[in-house]
Amino acid sequence: MRFAGTSSLTIGSLGVLVVGVGLGACSLDETMSRSDVAGAAASGNTTTTWSTTSTTTTGTWTGAGGAGASASFGGAGGALGVGGQGGVGGQGGLGGQGGEDACAGLDSSQPLVLYLSADDSNSMASPTHAREVLDLHMAPSDFLRIRTYEFLNYYRIAFPAAPQNQVALYTEGELGADPGKLDLQLAVRSYDALHPRRPMTITFVLDTSGSMGGNSIERERAVVKAVAKSLAAGDIVSMVTWSDQQSTVLAGHVATGPNDATVVAAANGLAANGSTDLHAGLVRGYELANQYYGLTRLNRLILVSDGGANTGITDETLIANNSKDGDKEGIYLVGVGTGPATGYNDLLMDTVTDRGRGAYVYVDDVAEAERLFVDRFDETMEIAARAVEVELTVPWYLSLEKFSGEQASTNPEEVEPQHLAPSDAMVFHQTLAACNPALLDPADTVTVKVSWLQPLTYQASSTSITWTIDELLAGPKEALHKGKAIVAYAEALKTGLAADLVAAHEAATAADPNGTDPELVEITALIEKHPAYPQ
């Protein structure tokens, strides 16, 4: 996070708060880039941005924070704090003293408007990679970056589907553990996948280097065969393998239907040997993808790898150029990680799918390939709403204390729109805090507005809904409580602390007291496998 365009700071936690007119920028899984960002701050307003990857905030940091210790964030409390001493480092961290002074810098005539983003709803690699590590009774934080929003993408929270070509909005809320806190969960639900789906042009770019031996090559074969199971007659399939050289296995093969014999045979023939030449594989893969591109087809390049290769600027530019949407849909790249759990390099797939605008998934066993590419095929591969923008408007006295998504800002230009898959939901879990708890008024309103583009026509669409705080507090809580449990699980995996793991276990159990939700049952069992969980 950068203040006044100079000092830079990133921190590793779920999202904390709150400076300026909204929120402070922060970054998950990063480290401080300067050790002396602390102490007194000049008063003034700022546009502030929060990112769970890496984001820069420019402007002037608002606050009257006292001097914090070196290498800590914040002093004894800022003018826009939310009461209490909490925070990250220093005497007062990101909290403040609360009460009237904490509200002094806010404009009571204007509501707080936040723009929110998660990663594309079909990106969900982190929880399955973490699951494989936990099955080894090891700590996931030692081997991967935990991205909380991917846990909310992977584990399903039930929301009724929207009508075709629309999205449906759902919001649940309850008072937080401390006075003036409001736990809020937003969901943007797409319509269910259409059947029959549109025809596909699929291009596999498959890592067959020597490091893919063992489980990785078995999982790669399983991915290809799972996609083959989801084929329809007339789908076009190409396949390139890459190790120390690339080889074209299939070029423009027209599938006969599900489990096409040619594609299945090609999958069974995959073998690991040689070194790694990702660039040659990508170049040939995109040549084939463009050659057989169909304007009305779903065009996807599926890259499968153990993450052992590196991308250069040339590769990233190639991927980005092919995924661009102009007057037609680009060729999106779907990245599939194969492990191994403790040696997998997450950076490759995270980078290429970010540039390629497709899903990022991780296959922790052969069965997971079928779950992702058969049972959840449309979620993984298709788009129901393009360039989704979520706008949250809350009373002026509230600020964002915790946030589960990837980006949040008071400036819409700082937040990148994301795609929403069919039969899926974007879920945002956040805690809002009042500068003075006495100001929290049940009659005040919360508004959610969502704008998006239709996936094929690019027609602009939008919808919005408004609730009073009282209506939110009186509404159902089932989805909120499952969301809380999922977030608590992901956050506990980040810290690896026994107390956090126990709290996450309790949250999952409380959300599913009868043990009828198989996903929450899985989460409790996985927590118990963590080496720091009290036995």
Side-chain angles (χ1 to χ4, degrees):
M1 175 163 61
R2 188 164 296 141
F3 302 119
T6 53
S7 302
S8 179
L9 170 71
T10 53
I11 59 176
S13 68
L14 171 65
V16 211
L17 161 118
V18 159
V19 294
V21 208
L23 43 153
C26 71
S27 173
L28 288 184
D29 308 310
E30 303 289 344
T31 56
M32 285 179 143
S33 57
R34 180 167 172 172
S35 64
D36 59 350
V37 181
S43 130
N45 290 330
T46 179
T47 295
T48 48
T49 300
W50 174 308
S51 171
T52 57
T53 52
S54 59
T55 294
T56 296
T57 299
T58 57
T60 303
W61 184 21
T62 298
S70 179
S72 67
F73 182 92
L80 302 188
V82 182
Q85 297 299 314
V88 178
Q91 298 175 42
L94 299 181
Q97 300 302 323
E100 294 181 2
D101 289 344
C103 301
L106 302 181
D107 183 356
S108 62
S109 68
Q110 298 292 330
L112 174 65
V113 181
L114 299 171
Y115 301 89
L116 312 178
S117 174
D119 202 357
D120 289 349
S121 69
N122 50 14
S123 287
M124 41 193 171
S126 186
T128 48
H129 189 186
R131 181 171 64 198
E132 186 177 14
V133 175
L134 287 166
D135 281 336
L136 299 172
H137 297 272
M138 303 176 79
S141 58
D142 291 340
F143 301 101
L144 69 141
R145 293 186 301 157
I146 304 294
R147 293 178 286 271
T148 302
Y149 47 87
E150 290 186 356
F151 284 69
L152 287 168
N153 288 345
Y154 182 75
Y155 291 108
R156 288 170 158 173
I157 302 176
F159 299 101
Q164 185 176 339
N165 298 325
Q166 297 295 314
V167 300
L169 306 183
Y170 300 93
T171 300
E172 293 182 5
E174 66 182 3
L175 295 177
D178 299 319
K181 303 292 179 70
L182 178 65
D183 294 332
L184 189 67
Q185 183 167 279
L186 315 177
V188 183
R189 175 61 157 91
S190 62
Y191 53 87
D192 283 341
L194 304 178
H195 296 285
R197 56 160 174 75
R198 56 176 167 154
M200 299 189 300
T201 296
I202 299 295
T203 304
F204 290 103
V205 177
L206 305 175
D207 185 353
T208 54
S209 60
S211 64
M212 287 287 291
N215 287 336
S216 292
I217 200 72
E218 289 294 332
R219 295 171 187 180
E220 183 172 64
R221 294 182 190 126
V223 168
V224 176
K225 287 190 275 191
V227 174
K229 193 171 184 178
S230 297
L231 293 174
D235 289 339
I236 297 174
V237 181
S238 299
M239 184 183 297
V240 175
T241 60
W242 52 277
S243 52
D244 48 1
Q245 58 185 358
Q246 59 84 16
S247 175
T248 302
V249 180
L250 297 174
H253 171 72
V254 180
T256 59
N259 299 309
D260 178 90
T262 300
V263 178
V264 172
N268 288 331
L270 295 171
N273 58 75
S275 57
T276 300
D277 186 3
L278 170 61
H279 176 73
L282 284 173
V283 169
R284 180 56 177 153
Y286 278 117
E287 286 176 355
L288 291 168
N290 280 287
Q291 181 178 348
Y292 296 102
Y293 179 90
L295 186 62
T296 60
R297 304 173 75 88
L298 184 152
N299 300 272
R300 297 290 182 268
L301 186 145
I302 302 177
L303 175 66
V304 185
S305 176
D306 62 359
N310 294 316
T311 57
I313 299 299
T314 301
D315 296 326
E316 293 182 25
T317 302
L318 174 68
I319 294 165
N321 287 342
N322 278 278
S323 68
K324 280 182 180 177
D325 293 327
D327 57 355
K328 63 178 184 178
E329 182 179 80
I331 301 168
Y332 294 170
L333 184 149
V334 175
V336 185
T338 60
T342 59
Y344 175 70
N345 181 4
D346 179 70
L347 181 61
L348 170 67
M349 288 302 180
D350 195 34
T351 300
V352 298
T353 54
D354 184 55
R355 301 293 185 272
R357 308 181 68 183
Y360 173 26
V361 298
Y362 180 94
V363 176
D364 59 337
D365 58 26
V366 168
E368 183 65 17
E370 185 145 327
R371 283 191 288 270
L372 292 171
F373 290 100
V374 178
D375 301 341
R376 302 178 72 167
F377 180 85
D378 296 293
E379 289 179 64
T380 306
M381 301 288 284
E382 186 56 287
I383 291 175
R386 191 181 303 281
V388 177
E389 298 178 337
V390 179
E391 178 182 318
L392 172 65
T393 302
V394 298
W396 67 272
Y397 51 80
L398 290 176
S399 54
L400 189 63
E401 184 176 75
K402 295 181 181 179
F403 177 59
S404 68
E406 187 174 25
Q407 294 175 321
S409 179
T410 56
N411 179 2
E413 295 181 359
E414 296 290 336
V415 175
E416 184 176 359
Q418 302 291 343
H419 299 328
L420 174 62
S423 307
D424 203 0
M426 283 182 178
V427 181
F428 301 90
H429 193 90
Q430 48 267 307
T431 297
L432 300 166
C435 59
N436 182 347
L439 294 173
L440 194 61
D441 186 345
D444 285 340
T445 59
V446 172
T447 298
V448 179
K449 178 182 178 181
V450 175
S451 304
W452 74 98
L453 301 177
Q454 296 294 335
L456 296 180
T457 66
Y458 288 74
Q459 177 183 348
S461 303
S462 66
T463 187
S464 65
I465 192 166
T466 298
W467 299 266
T468 65
I469 292 175
D470 192 45
E471 288 171 334
L472 289 174
L473 298 180
K477 303 289 187 291
E478 290 82 2
L480 171 65
H481 290 163
K482 182 169 184 178
K484 276 188 171 184
I486 294 168
V487 169
Y489 169 50
E491 293 302 307
L493 295 185
K494 289 178 188 175
T495 68
L497 297 176
D500 292 339
L501 292 163
V502 169
H505 192 283
E506 291 173 350
T509 303
D512 182 35
N514 298 319
T516 56
D517 185 324
E519 293 185 333
L520 291 174
V521 170
E522 174 185 285
I523 285 173
T524 56
L526 288 172
I527 291 171
E528 291 168 3
K529 294 180 180 181
H530 195 289
Y533 184 77
Q535 300 298 324

